[in-house]
Structures are given as C-alpha cells and as structure tokens.
Amino acid sequence: TWHHSQQLTIAPDGTHLLKVSVRGFDELRFWIAWMGEGAEIVDPPEWRQRMIAMIDAMRGRYRGALR
C-alpha cells in the first residue's frame, strides 16, 4: 500500500486511476511532480488548474536553459 487511503482501479485500456484522500493541494502536488508525465490530476478541477499553473511557471523558469 502506497497511501493508507488509496483506492486503485485499472481500466481496460491499462490506465490506472488512483484515488487518495490528502490534507491539501500541497501534499498532492509533490506526489504528482514525483510521478512525472505519467500522472494527471482529474478532480477536483481547481486543483487540476493549480497544477497546470505550477507546470507553466516551471516551464517558464526552464525555457531556454538547455540551448
């Protein structure tokens, strides 16, 4: 078990849906960042938007860094 509240469902197409209860967005965003591009916040929509904003800010920080 990865998290005490986890509920894992595997869809027929092989994707995994992990549901967890967390204390807030900050706890979840670290997990999502750790999981990388294979992870996606589906609900709640406001947390999804916050993650998008965080990724956009990171993209801006690293834009042009590896030229």
Side-chain angles (χ1 to χ4, degrees):
T1 304
W2 180 59
H3 189 271
H4 70 277
S5 70
Q6 78 182 40
Q7 297 175 6
L8 180 64
T9 304
I10 302 173
D13 68 358
T15 57
H16 293 65
L17 178 62
L18 177 66
K19 294 182 181 183
V20 292
S21 295
V22 295
R23 291 179 290 236
F25 176 76
D26 287 338
E27 182 180 0
L28 183 65
R29 73 184 177 108
F30 290 113
W31 290 348
I32 296 296
W34 176 75
M35 289 179 208
E37 70 272 2
E40 177 182 5
I41 296 175
V42 179
D43 279 316
E46 53 274 3
W47 284 15
R48 181 180 176 86
Q49 286 305 119
R50 287 178 68 182
M51 193 70 195
I52 291 168
M54 186 181 95
I55 292 167
D56 286 344
M58 291 173 68
R59 185 180 296 119
R61 178 169 292 145
Y62 290 98
R63 185 171 289 125
L66 298 175
R67 291 186 182 187

mmCIF file with all atom_site columns, all heavy atoms in Angstrom, residues 17-41:
data_model
loop_
_atom_site.group_PDB
_atom_site.id
_atom_site.type_symbol
_atom_site.label_atom_id
_atom_site.label_alt_id
_atom_site.label_comp_id
_atom_site.label_asym_id
_atom_site.label_entity_id
_atom_site.label_seq_id
_atom_site.pdbx_PDB_ins_code
_atom_site.Cartn_x
_atom_site.Cartn_y
_atom_site.Cartn_z
_atom_site.occupancy
_atom_site.B_iso_or_equiv
_atom_site.pdbx_formal_charge
_atom_site.auth_seq_id
_atom_site.auth_comp_id
_atom_site.auth_asym_id
_atom_site.auth_atom_id
_atom_site.pdbx_PDB_model_num
ATOM 1   N N   . LEU A 1 17 ? -6.238  4.457  -12.211 1.00 0.00 ? 17 LEU A N   1
ATOM 2   C CA  . LEU A 1 17 ? -6.873  5.565  -11.516 1.00 0.00 ? 17 LEU A CA  1
ATOM 3   C C   . LEU A 1 17 ? -6.631  5.363  -10.031 1.00 0.00 ? 17 LEU A C   1
ATOM 4   O O   . LEU A 1 17 ? -7.069  4.375  -9.447  1.00 0.00 ? 17 LEU A O   1
ATOM 5   C CB  . LEU A 1 17 ? -8.369  5.622  -11.810 1.00 0.00 ? 17 LEU A CB  1
ATOM 6   C CG  . LEU A 1 17 ? -9.157  6.712  -11.092 1.00 0.00 ? 17 LEU A CG  1
ATOM 7   C CD1 . LEU A 1 17 ? -8.648  8.091  -11.503 1.00 0.00 ? 17 LEU A CD1 1
ATOM 8   C CD2 . LEU A 1 17 ? -10.631 6.570  -11.380 1.00 0.00 ? 17 LEU A CD2 1
ATOM 9   N N   . LEU A 1 18 ? -5.890  6.294  -9.440  1.00 0.00 ? 18 LEU A N   1
ATOM 10  C CA  . LEU A 1 18 ? -5.576  6.229  -8.019  1.00 0.00 ? 18 LEU A CA  1
ATOM 11  C C   . LEU A 1 18 ? -6.348  7.323  -7.307  1.00 0.00 ? 18 LEU A C   1
ATOM 12  O O   . LEU A 1 18 ? -6.205  8.499  -7.638  1.00 0.00 ? 18 LEU A O   1
ATOM 13  C CB  . LEU A 1 18 ? -4.072  6.421  -7.788  1.00 0.00 ? 18 LEU A CB  1
ATOM 14  C CG  . LEU A 1 18 ? -3.612  6.455  -6.337  1.00 0.00 ? 18 LEU A CG  1
ATOM 15  C CD1 . LEU A 1 18 ? -3.834  5.094  -5.672  1.00 0.00 ? 18 LEU A CD1 1
ATOM 16  C CD2 . LEU A 1 18 ? -2.162  6.882  -6.250  1.00 0.00 ? 18 LEU A CD2 1
ATOM 17  N N   . LYS A 1 19 ? -7.170  6.939  -6.360  1.00 0.00 ? 19 LYS A N   1
ATOM 18  C CA  . LYS A 1 19 ? -7.906  7.897  -5.535  1.00 0.00 ? 19 LYS A CA  1
ATOM 19  C C   . LYS A 1 19 ? -7.294  7.880  -4.149  1.00 0.00 ? 19 LYS A C   1
ATOM 20  O O   . LYS A 1 19 ? -7.101  6.819  -3.558  1.00 0.00 ? 19 LYS A O   1
ATOM 21  C CB  . LYS A 1 19 ? -9.388  7.521  -5.448  1.00 0.00 ? 19 LYS A CB  1
ATOM 22  C CG  . LYS A 1 19 ? -10.122 7.623  -6.757  1.00 0.00 ? 19 LYS A CG  1
ATOM 23  C CD  . LYS A 1 19 ? -11.594 7.275  -6.565  1.00 0.00 ? 19 LYS A CD  1
ATOM 24  C CE  . LYS A 1 19 ? -12.340 7.359  -7.875  1.00 0.00 ? 19 LYS A CE  1
ATOM 25  N NZ  . LYS A 1 19 ? -13.773 7.091  -7.691  1.00 0.00 ? 19 LYS A NZ  1
ATOM 26  N N   . VAL A 1 20 ? -6.977  9.078  -3.641  1.00 0.00 ? 20 VAL A N   1
ATOM 27  C CA  . VAL A 1 20 ? -6.433  9.211  -2.294  1.00 0.00 ? 20 VAL A CA  1
ATOM 28  C C   . VAL A 1 20 ? -7.066  10.408 -1.613  1.00 0.00 ? 20 VAL A C   1
ATOM 29  O O   . VAL A 1 20 ? -7.482  11.365 -2.265  1.00 0.00 ? 20 VAL A O   1
ATOM 30  C CB  . VAL A 1 20 ? -4.889  9.376  -2.287  1.00 0.00 ? 20 VAL A CB  1
ATOM 31  C CG1 . VAL A 1 20 ? -4.194  8.123  -2.744  1.00 0.00 ? 20 VAL A CG1 1
ATOM 32  C CG2 . VAL A 1 20 ? -4.457  10.559 -3.108  1.00 0.00 ? 20 VAL A CG2 1
ATOM 33  N N   . SER A 1 21 ? -7.133  10.353 -0.305  1.00 0.00 ? 21 SER A N   1
ATOM 34  C CA  . SER A 1 21 ? -7.567  11.495 0.499   1.00 0.00 ? 21 SER A CA  1
ATOM 35  C C   . SER A 1 21 ? -6.310  12.144 1.061   1.00 0.00 ? 21 SER A C   1
ATOM 36  O O   . SER A 1 21 ? -5.522  11.487 1.741   1.00 0.00 ? 21 SER A O   1
ATOM 37  C CB  . SER A 1 21 ? -8.474  11.039 1.638   1.00 0.00 ? 21 SER A CB  1
ATOM 38  O OG  . SER A 1 21 ? -9.666  10.492 1.130   1.00 0.00 ? 21 SER A OG  1
ATOM 39  N N   . VAL A 1 22 ? -6.134  13.425 0.748   1.00 0.00 ? 22 VAL A N   1
ATOM 40  C CA  . VAL A 1 22 ? -4.949  14.147 1.205   1.00 0.00 ? 22 VAL A CA  1
ATOM 41  C C   . VAL A 1 22 ? -5.366  15.365 2.008   1.00 0.00 ? 22 VAL A C   1
ATOM 42  O O   . VAL A 1 22 ? -6.520  15.789 1.952   1.00 0.00 ? 22 VAL A O   1
ATOM 43  C CB  . VAL A 1 22 ? -4.052  14.560 0.016   1.00 0.00 ? 22 VAL A CB  1
ATOM 44  C CG1 . VAL A 1 22 ? -3.493  13.328 -0.671  1.00 0.00 ? 22 VAL A CG1 1
ATOM 45  C CG2 . VAL A 1 22 ? -4.794  15.424 -0.973  1.00 0.00 ? 22 VAL A CG2 1
ATOM 46  N N   . ARG A 1 23 ? -4.399  15.939 2.729   1.00 0.00 ? 23 ARG A N   1
ATOM 47  C CA  . ARG A 1 23 ? -4.685  17.110 3.571   1.00 0.00 ? 23 ARG A CA  1
ATOM 48  C C   . ARG A 1 23 ? -4.861  18.373 2.767   1.00 0.00 ? 23 ARG A C   1
ATOM 49  O O   . ARG A 1 23 ? -5.427  19.341 3.247   1.00 0.00 ? 23 ARG A O   1
ATOM 50  C CB  . ARG A 1 23 ? -3.566  17.292 4.590   1.00 0.00 ? 23 ARG A CB  1
ATOM 51  C CG  . ARG A 1 23 ? -3.541  16.207 5.643   1.00 0.00 ? 23 ARG A CG  1
ATOM 52  C CD  . ARG A 1 23 ? -2.396  16.439 6.587   1.00 0.00 ? 23 ARG A CD  1
ATOM 53  N NE  . ARG A 1 23 ? -1.165  16.165 5.867   1.00 0.00 ? 23 ARG A NE  1
ATOM 54  C CZ  . ARG A 1 23 ? -0.250  15.295 6.243   1.00 0.00 ? 23 ARG A CZ  1
ATOM 55  N NH1 . ARG A 1 23 ? -0.399  14.642 7.362   1.00 0.00 ? 23 ARG A NH1 1
ATOM 56  N NH2 . ARG A 1 23 ? 0.831   15.094 5.530   1.00 0.00 ? 23 ARG A NH2 1
ATOM 57  N N   . GLY A 1 24 ? -4.349  18.394 1.551   1.00 0.00 ? 24 GLY A N   1
ATOM 58  C CA  . GLY A 1 24 ? -4.476  19.586 0.730   1.00 0.00 ? 24 GLY A CA  1
ATOM 59  C C   . GLY A 1 24 ? -3.670  19.464 -0.540  1.00 0.00 ? 24 GLY A C   1
ATOM 60  O O   . GLY A 1 24 ? -2.968  18.479 -0.775  1.00 0.00 ? 24 GLY A O   1
ATOM 61  N N   . PHE A 1 25 ? -3.761  20.500 -1.360  1.00 0.00 ? 25 PHE A N   1
ATOM 62  C CA  . PHE A 1 25 ? -3.098  20.508 -2.654  1.00 0.00 ? 25 PHE A CA  1
ATOM 63  C C   . PHE A 1 25 ? -1.595  20.329 -2.535  1.00 0.00 ? 25 PHE A C   1
ATOM 64  O O   . PHE A 1 25 ? -0.986  19.618 -3.339  1.00 0.00 ? 25 PHE A O   1
ATOM 65  C CB  . PHE A 1 25 ? -3.421  21.815 -3.389  1.00 0.00 ? 25 PHE A CB  1
ATOM 66  C CG  . PHE A 1 25 ? -2.703  21.939 -4.703  1.00 0.00 ? 25 PHE A CG  1
ATOM 67  C CD1 . PHE A 1 25 ? -3.135  21.223 -5.808  1.00 0.00 ? 25 PHE A CD1 1
ATOM 68  C CD2 . PHE A 1 25 ? -1.595  22.750 -4.829  1.00 0.00 ? 25 PHE A CD2 1
ATOM 69  C CE1 . PHE A 1 25 ? -2.468  21.314 -7.013  1.00 0.00 ? 25 PHE A CE1 1
ATOM 70  C CE2 . PHE A 1 25 ? -0.920  22.861 -6.034  1.00 0.00 ? 25 PHE A CE2 1
ATOM 71  C CZ  . PHE A 1 25 ? -1.360  22.139 -7.130  1.00 0.00 ? 25 PHE A CZ  1
ATOM 72  N N   . ASP A 1 26 ? -0.967  20.946 -1.548  1.00 0.00 ? 26 ASP A N   1
ATOM 73  C CA  . ASP A 1 26 ? 0.490   20.865 -1.427  1.00 0.00 ? 26 ASP A CA  1
ATOM 74  C C   . ASP A 1 26 ? 0.971   19.428 -1.271  1.00 0.00 ? 26 ASP A C   1
ATOM 75  O O   . ASP A 1 26 ? 1.994   19.046 -1.840  1.00 0.00 ? 26 ASP A O   1
ATOM 76  C CB  . ASP A 1 26 ? 0.995   21.721 -0.273  1.00 0.00 ? 26 ASP A CB  1
ATOM 77  C CG  . ASP A 1 26 ? 0.927   23.205 -0.589  1.00 0.00 ? 26 ASP A CG  1
ATOM 78  O OD1 . ASP A 1 26 ? 0.889   23.561 -1.791  1.00 0.00 ? 26 ASP A OD1 1
ATOM 79  O OD2 . ASP A 1 26 ? 0.898   24.011 0.353   1.00 0.00 ? 26 ASP A OD2 1
ATOM 80  N N   . GLU A 1 27 ? 0.246   18.623 -0.527  1.00 0.00 ? 27 GLU A N   1
ATOM 81  C CA  . GLU A 1 27 ? 0.624   17.221 -0.365  1.00 0.00 ? 27 GLU A CA  1
ATOM 82  C C   . GLU A 1 27 ? 0.524   16.492 -1.709  1.00 0.00 ? 27 GLU A C   1
ATOM 83  O O   . GLU A 1 27 ? 1.420   15.735 -2.084  1.00 0.00 ? 27 GLU A O   1
ATOM 84  C CB  . GLU A 1 27 ? -0.274  16.544 0.673   1.00 0.00 ? 27 GLU A CB  1
ATOM 85  C CG  . GLU A 1 27 ? 0.079   15.097 0.930   1.00 0.00 ? 27 GLU A CG  1
ATOM 86  C CD  . GLU A 1 27 ? -0.803  14.426 1.969   1.00 0.00 ? 27 GLU A CD  1
ATOM 87  O OE1 . GLU A 1 27 ? -1.725  15.065 2.519   1.00 0.00 ? 27 GLU A OE1 1
ATOM 88  O OE2 . GLU A 1 27 ? -0.568  13.242 2.223   1.00 0.00 ? 27 GLU A OE2 1
ATOM 89  N N   . LEU A 1 28 ? -0.511  16.751 -2.452  1.00 0.00 ? 28 LEU A N   1
ATOM 90  C CA  . LEU A 1 28 ? -0.731  16.065 -3.721  1.00 0.00 ? 28 LEU A CA  1
ATOM 91  C C   . LEU A 1 28 ? 0.246   16.516 -4.798  1.00 0.00 ? 28 LEU A C   1
ATOM 92  O O   . LEU A 1 28 ? 0.756   15.699 -5.564  1.00 0.00 ? 28 LEU A O   1
ATOM 93  C CB  . LEU A 1 28 ? -2.166  16.298 -4.207  1.00 0.00 ? 28 LEU A CB  1
ATOM 94  C CG  . LEU A 1 28 ? -2.541  15.577 -5.488  1.00 0.00 ? 28 LEU A CG  1
ATOM 95  C CD1 . LEU A 1 28 ? -2.524  14.071 -5.301  1.00 0.00 ? 28 LEU A CD1 1
ATOM 96  C CD2 . LEU A 1 28 ? -3.897  16.043 -5.970  1.00 0.00 ? 28 LEU A CD2 1
ATOM 97  N N   . ARG A 1 29 ? 0.567   17.796 -4.856  1.00 0.00 ? 29 ARG A N   1
ATOM 98  C CA  . ARG A 1 29 ? 1.424   18.287 -5.943  1.00 0.00 ? 29 ARG A CA  1
ATOM 99  C C   . ARG A 1 29 ? 2.815   17.679 -5.894  1.00 0.00 ? 29 ARG A C   1
ATOM 100 O O   . ARG A 1 29 ? 3.427   17.435 -6.929  1.00 0.00 ? 29 ARG A O   1
ATOM 101 C CB  . ARG A 1 29 ? 1.494   19.809 -5.954  1.00 0.00 ? 29 ARG A CB  1
ATOM 102 C CG  . ARG A 1 29 ? 2.298   20.423 -4.862  1.00 0.00 ? 29 ARG A CG  1
ATOM 103 C CD  . ARG A 1 29 ? 2.201   21.945 -4.943  1.00 0.00 ? 29 ARG A CD  1
ATOM 104 N NE  . ARG A 1 29 ? 2.919   22.543 -3.856  1.00 0.00 ? 29 ARG A NE  1
ATOM 105 C CZ  . ARG A 1 29 ? 4.070   23.186 -3.990  1.00 0.00 ? 29 ARG A CZ  1
ATOM 106 N NH1 . ARG A 1 29 ? 4.599   23.344 -5.185  1.00 0.00 ? 29 ARG A NH1 1
ATOM 107 N NH2 . ARG A 1 29 ? 4.674   23.695 -2.947  1.00 0.00 ? 29 ARG A NH2 1
ATOM 108 N N   . PHE A 1 30 ? 3.330   17.390 -4.707  1.00 0.00 ? 30 PHE A N   1
ATOM 109 C CA  . PHE A 1 30 ? 4.629   16.733 -4.610  1.00 0.00 ? 30 PHE A CA  1
ATOM 110 C C   . PHE A 1 30 ? 4.570   15.319 -5.196  1.00 0.00 ? 30 PHE A C   1
ATOM 111 O O   . PHE A 1 30 ? 5.490   14.891 -5.880  1.00 0.00 ? 30 PHE A O   1
ATOM 112 C CB  . PHE A 1 30 ? 5.127   16.703 -3.165  1.00 0.00 ? 30 PHE A CB  1
ATOM 113 C CG  . PHE A 1 30 ? 5.525   18.053 -2.662  1.00 0.00 ? 30 PHE A CG  1
ATOM 114 C CD1 . PHE A 1 30 ? 4.817   18.667 -1.660  1.00 0.00 ? 30 PHE A CD1 1
ATOM 115 C CD2 . PHE A 1 30 ? 6.621   18.711 -3.215  1.00 0.00 ? 30 PHE A CD2 1
ATOM 116 C CE1 . PHE A 1 30 ? 5.186   19.920 -1.193  1.00 0.00 ? 30 PHE A CE1 1
ATOM 117 C CE2 . PHE A 1 30 ? 7.002   19.967 -2.756  1.00 0.00 ? 30 PHE A CE2 1
ATOM 118 C CZ  . PHE A 1 30 ? 6.275   20.568 -1.747  1.00 0.00 ? 30 PHE A CZ  1
ATOM 119 N N   . TRP A 1 31 ? 3.492   14.599 -4.928  1.00 0.00 ? 31 TRP A N   1
ATOM 120 C CA  . TRP A 1 31 ? 3.342   13.257 -5.479  1.00 0.00 ? 31 TRP A CA  1
ATOM 121 C C   . TRP A 1 31 ? 3.253   13.309 -7.001  1.00 0.00 ? 31 TRP A C   1
ATOM 122 O O   . TRP A 1 31 ? 3.891   12.531 -7.688  1.00 0.00 ? 31 TRP A O   1
ATOM 123 C CB  . TRP A 1 31 ? 2.089   12.585 -4.949  1.00 0.00 ? 31 TRP A CB  1
ATOM 124 C CG  . TRP A 1 31 ? 2.138   12.213 -3.513  1.00 0.00 ? 31 TRP A CG  1
ATOM 125 C CD1 . TRP A 1 31 ? 3.222   12.195 -2.676  1.00 0.00 ? 31 TRP A CD1 1
ATOM 126 C CD2 . TRP A 1 31 ? 1.037   11.806 -2.727  1.00 0.00 ? 31 TRP A CD2 1
ATOM 127 N NE1 . TRP A 1 31 ? 2.853   11.803 -1.428  1.00 0.00 ? 31 TRP A NE1 1
ATOM 128 C CE2 . TRP A 1 31 ? 1.513   11.553 -1.426  1.00 0.00 ? 31 TRP A CE2 1
ATOM 129 C CE3 . TRP A 1 31 ? -0.303  11.615 -2.979  1.00 0.00 ? 31 TRP A CE3 1
ATOM 130 C CZ2 . TRP A 1 31 ? 0.692   11.124 -0.400  1.00 0.00 ? 31 TRP A CZ2 1
ATOM 131 C CZ3 . TRP A 1 31 ? -1.131  11.184 -1.959  1.00 0.00 ? 31 TRP A CZ3 1
ATOM 132 C CH2 . TRP A 1 31 ? -0.630  10.940 -0.679  1.00 0.00 ? 31 TRP A CH2 1
ATOM 133 N N   . ILE A 1 32 ? 2.454   14.230 -7.511  1.00 0.00 ? 32 ILE A N   1
ATOM 134 C CA  . ILE A 1 32 ? 2.274   14.345 -8.959  1.00 0.00 ? 32 ILE A CA  1
ATOM 135 C C   . ILE A 1 32 ? 3.607   14.698 -9.620  1.00 0.00 ? 32 ILE A C   1
ATOM 136 O O   . ILE A 1 32 ? 3.977   14.109 -10.634 1.00 0.00 ? 32 ILE A O   1
ATOM 137 C CB  . ILE A 1 32 ? 1.191   15.392 -9.303  1.00 0.00 ? 32 ILE A CB  1
ATOM 138 C CG1 . ILE A 1 32 ? -0.176  14.949 -8.778  1.00 0.00 ? 32 ILE A CG1 1
ATOM 139 C CG2 . ILE A 1 32 ? 1.146   15.653 -10.804 1.00 0.00 ? 32 ILE A CG2 1
ATOM 140 C CD1 . ILE A 1 32 ? -0.728  13.699 -9.403  1.00 0.00 ? 32 ILE A CD1 1
ATOM 141 N N   . ALA A 1 33 ? 4.337   15.631 -9.058  1.00 0.00 ? 33 ALA A N   1
ATOM 142 C CA  . ALA A 1 33 ? 5.643   16.009 -9.609  1.00 0.00 ? 33 ALA A CA  1
ATOM 143 C C   . ALA A 1 33 ? 6.603   14.819 -9.576  1.00 0.00 ? 33 ALA A C   1
ATOM 144 O O   . ALA A 1 33 ? 7.354   14.583 -10.523 1.00 0.00 ? 33 ALA A O   1
ATOM 145 C CB  . ALA A 1 33 ? 6.216   17.195 -8.852  1.00 0.00 ? 33 ALA A CB  1
ATOM 146 N N   . TRP A 1 34 ? 6.560   14.043 -8.522  1.00 0.00 ? 34 TRP A N   1
ATOM 147 C CA  . TRP A 1 34 ? 7.425   12.872 -8.382  1.00 0.00 ? 34 TRP A CA  1
ATOM 148 C C   . TRP A 1 34 ? 7.079   11.810 -9.426  1.00 0.00 ? 34 TRP A C   1
ATOM 149 O O   . TRP A 1 34 ? 7.959   11.173 -9.989  1.00 0.00 ? 34 TRP A O   1
ATOM 150 C CB  . TRP A 1 34 ? 7.299   12.313 -6.972  1.00 0.00 ? 34 TRP A CB  1
ATOM 151 C CG  . TRP A 1 34 ? 8.068   11.055 -6.739  1.00 0.00 ? 34 TRP A CG  1
ATOM 152 C CD1 . TRP A 1 34 ? 9.413   10.935 -6.576  1.00 0.00 ? 34 TRP A CD1 1
ATOM 153 C CD2 . TRP A 1 34 ? 7.532   9.740  -6.640  1.00 0.00 ? 34 TRP A CD2 1
ATOM 154 N NE1 . TRP A 1 34 ? 9.742   9.619  -6.375  1.00 0.00 ? 34 TRP A NE1 1
ATOM 155 C CE2 . TRP A 1 34 ? 8.603   8.865  -6.420  1.00 0.00 ? 34 TRP A CE2 1
ATOM 156 C CE3 . TRP A 1 34 ? 6.238   9.224  -6.716  1.00 0.00 ? 34 TRP A CE3 1
ATOM 157 C CZ2 . TRP A 1 34 ? 8.429   7.487  -6.272  1.00 0.00 ? 34 TRP A CZ2 1
ATOM 158 C CZ3 . TRP A 1 34 ? 6.065   7.858  -6.564  1.00 0.00 ? 34 TRP A CZ3 1
ATOM 159 C CH2 . TRP A 1 34 ? 7.153   7.011  -6.354  1.00 0.00 ? 34 TRP A CH2 1
ATOM 160 N N   . MET A 1 35 ? 5.798   11.651 -9.724  1.00 0.00 ? 35 MET A N   1
ATOM 161 C CA  . MET A 1 35 ? 5.355   10.640 -10.690 1.00 0.00 ? 35 MET A CA  1
ATOM 162 C C   . MET A 1 35 ? 5.639   11.060 -12.133 1.00 0.00 ? 35 MET A C   1
ATOM 163 O O   . MET A 1 35 ? 5.685   10.227 -13.016 1.00 0.00 ? 35 MET A O   1
ATOM 164 C CB  . MET A 1 35 ? 3.867   10.368 -10.516 1.00 0.00 ? 35 MET A CB  1
ATOM 165 C CG  . MET A 1 35 ? 3.543   9.633  -9.255  1.00 0.00 ? 35 MET A CG  1
ATOM 166 S SD  . MET A 1 35 ? 1.765   9.386  -9.148  1.00 0.00 ? 35 MET A SD  1
ATOM 167 C CE  . MET A 1 35 ? 1.536   9.332  -7.405  1.00 0.00 ? 35 MET A CE  1
ATOM 168 N N   . GLY A 1 36 ? 5.792   12.352 -12.367 1.00 0.00 ? 36 GLY A N   1
ATOM 169 C CA  . GLY A 1 36 ? 6.159   12.827 -13.696 1.00 0.00 ? 36 GLY A CA  1
ATOM 170 C C   . GLY A 1 36 ? 5.005   12.873 -14.681 1.00 0.00 ? 36 GLY A C   1
ATOM 171 O O   . GLY A 1 36 ? 3.840   12.960 -14.301 1.00 0.00 ? 36 GLY A O   1
ATOM 172 N N   . GLU A 1 37 ? 5.376   12.791 -15.968 1.00 0.00 ? 37 GLU A N   1
ATOM 173 C CA  . GLU A 1 37 ? 4.383   12.986 -17.023 1.00 0.00 ? 37 GLU A CA  1
ATOM 174 C C   . GLU A 1 37 ? 3.339   11.881 -17.102 1.00 0.00 ? 37 GLU A C   1
ATOM 175 O O   . GLU A 1 37 ? 2.338   12.031 -17.794 1.00 0.00 ? 37 GLU A O   1
ATOM 176 C CB  . GLU A 1 37 ? 5.076   13.148 -18.384 1.00 0.00 ? 37 GLU A CB  1
ATOM 177 C CG  . GLU A 1 37 ? 5.715   11.890 -18.925 1.00 0.00 ? 37 GLU A CG  1
ATOM 178 C CD  . GLU A 1 37 ? 7.144   11.680 -18.453 1.00 0.00 ? 37 GLU A CD  1
ATOM 179 O OE1 . GLU A 1 37 ? 7.675   12.477 -17.657 1.00 0.00 ? 37 GLU A OE1 1
ATOM 180 O OE2 . GLU A 1 37 ? 7.741   10.684 -18.893 1.00 0.00 ? 37 GLU A OE2 1
ATOM 181 N N   . GLY A 1 38 ? 3.521   10.811 -16.379 1.00 0.00 ? 38 GLY A N   1
ATOM 182 C CA  . GLY A 1 38 ? 2.538   9.736  -16.373 1.00 0.00 ? 38 GLY A CA  1
ATOM 183 C C   . GLY A 1 38 ? 1.369   9.993  -15.438 1.00 0.00 ? 38 GLY A C   1
ATOM 184 O O   . GLY A 1 38 ? 0.410   9.230  -15.429 1.00 0.00 ? 38 GLY A O   1
ATOM 185 N N   . ALA A 1 39 ? 1.447   11.059 -14.657 1.00 0.00 ? 39 ALA A N   1
ATOM 186 C CA  . ALA A 1 39 ? 0.397   11.347 -13.674 1.00 0.00 ? 39 ALA A CA  1
ATOM 187 C C   . ALA A 1 39 ? -0.449  12.535 -14.115 1.00 0.00 ? 39 ALA A C   1
ATOM 188 O O   . ALA A 1 39 ? 0.022   13.423 -14.822 1.00 0.00 ? 39 ALA A O   1
ATOM 189 C CB  . ALA A 1 39 ? 1.025   11.643 -12.318 1.00 0.00 ? 39 ALA A CB  1
ATOM 190 N N   . GLU A 1 40 ? -1.683  12.542 -13.678 1.00 0.00 ? 40 GLU A N   1
ATOM 191 C CA  . GLU A 1 40 ? -2.615  13.621 -14.034 1.00 0.00 ? 40 GLU A CA  1
ATOM 192 C C   . GLU A 1 40 ? -3.634  13.793 -12.913 1.00 0.00 ? 40 GLU A C   1
ATOM 193 O O   . GLU A 1 40 ? -4.174  12.806 -12.417 1.00 0.00 ? 40 GLU A O   1
ATOM 194 C CB  . GLU A 1 40 ? -3.334  13.251 -15.329 1.00 0.00 ? 40 GLU A CB  1
ATOM 195 C CG  . GLU A 1 40 ? -4.361  14.240 -15.778 1.00 0.00 ? 40 GLU A CG  1
ATOM 196 C CD  . GLU A 1 40 ? -5.090  13.797 -17.045 1.00 0.00 ? 40 GLU A CD  1
ATOM 197 O OE1 . GLU A 1 40 ? -4.847  12.667 -17.513 1.00 0.00 ? 40 GLU A OE1 1
ATOM 198 O OE2 . GLU A 1 40 ? -5.894  14.585 -17.540 1.00 0.00 ? 40 GLU A OE2 1
ATOM 199 N N   . ILE A 1 41 ? -3.883  15.023 -12.517 1.00 0.00 ? 41 ILE A N   1
ATOM 200 C CA  . ILE A 1 41 ? -4.957  15.314 -11.575 1.00 0.00 ? 41 ILE A CA  1
ATOM 201 C C   . ILE A 1 41 ? -6.253  15.407 -12.383 1.00 0.00 ? 41 ILE A C   1
ATOM 202 O O   . ILE A 1 41 ? -6.336  16.189 -13.329 1.00 0.00 ? 41 ILE A O   1
ATOM 203 C CB  . ILE A 1 41 ? -4.710  16.626 -10.816 1.00 0.00 ? 41 ILE A CB  1
ATOM 204 C CG1 . ILE A 1 41 ? -3.461  16.509 -9.950  1.00 0.00 ? 41 ILE A CG1 1
ATOM 205 C CG2 . ILE A 1 41 ? -5.940  16.996 -9.963  1.00 0.00 ? 41 ILE A CG2 1
ATOM 206 C CD1 . ILE A 1 41 ? -3.063  17.793 -9.252  1.00 0.00 ? 41 ILE A CD1 1
#
